[in-house]
Amino acid sequence: MSDTLEHLHDVLEQRRQANPDDSYVAALHHKGLNKILEKVGEEATETLLAAKDAEHGGETQRQALINETADLWFHSLVMLSHLDLDHHQVLDELARRFGISGHDEKAAR
């Protein structure tokens, strides 16, 4: 998985500087943070709805949830890139939380 994230990170960085007419990622960056956040919100909603369907659904509904989650992660990575952040920082934060009770971690914020 880490290789996939690394490759995607590299592609997102390259396409960030591409022509907005030729690249979806470049077009999102060109339209600005609000457009990117709109896409993250849209994908989050679609992921939630797909999860509800997958709870009692079959393989088709479960695959739809995987697809929507991939869209959400992708657009979240675009958002991080736009803000000059990347997945390494998210992974570092997740690693930091290992061994800490979720209740304790939340209370410390």
Side-chain angles (χ1 to χ4, degrees):
M1 180 172 104
S2 181
D3 290 342
T4 301
L5 285 174
E6 288 300 324
H7 182 69
L8 185 54
H9 170 75
D10 293 344
V11 169
L12 289 176
E13 285 304 305
Q14 292 167 4
R15 295 203 180 144
R16 183 176 179 177
Q17 306 306 324
N19 183 333
D21 293 332
D22 298 331
S23 166
Y24 175 70
V25 171
L28 284 174
H29 283 291
H30 181 74
K31 291 175 184 174
L33 183 60
N34 283 347
K35 181 61 176 178
I36 295 167
L37 296 177
E38 180 182 307
K39 288 301 297 179
V40 171
E42 175 187 319
E43 298 303 341
T45 299
E46 290 174 1
T47 300
L48 295 173
L49 294 173
K52 291 295 285 179
D53 291 341
E55 182 179 26
H56 300 291
E59 189 56 35
T60 300
Q61 290 77 19
R62 295 175 70 77
Q63 185 59 50
L65 175 57
I66 297 299
N67 295 345
E68 294 300 341
T69 302
D71 290 346
L72 176 58
W73 287 14
F74 174 83
H75 287 89
S76 295
L77 291 170
V78 172
M79 173 191 66
L80 290 171
S81 172
H82 191 81
L83 297 169
D84 294 319
L85 300 167
D86 67 43
H87 68 280
H88 295 108
Q89 292 158 287
V90 176
L91 293 175
D92 289 347
E93 176 59 20
L94 289 171
R96 184 192 68 77
R97 294 179 186 186
F98 274 106
I100 300 172
S101 158
H103 294 299
D104 292 342
E105 191 281 327
K106 188 171 182 179
R109 283 194 247 161

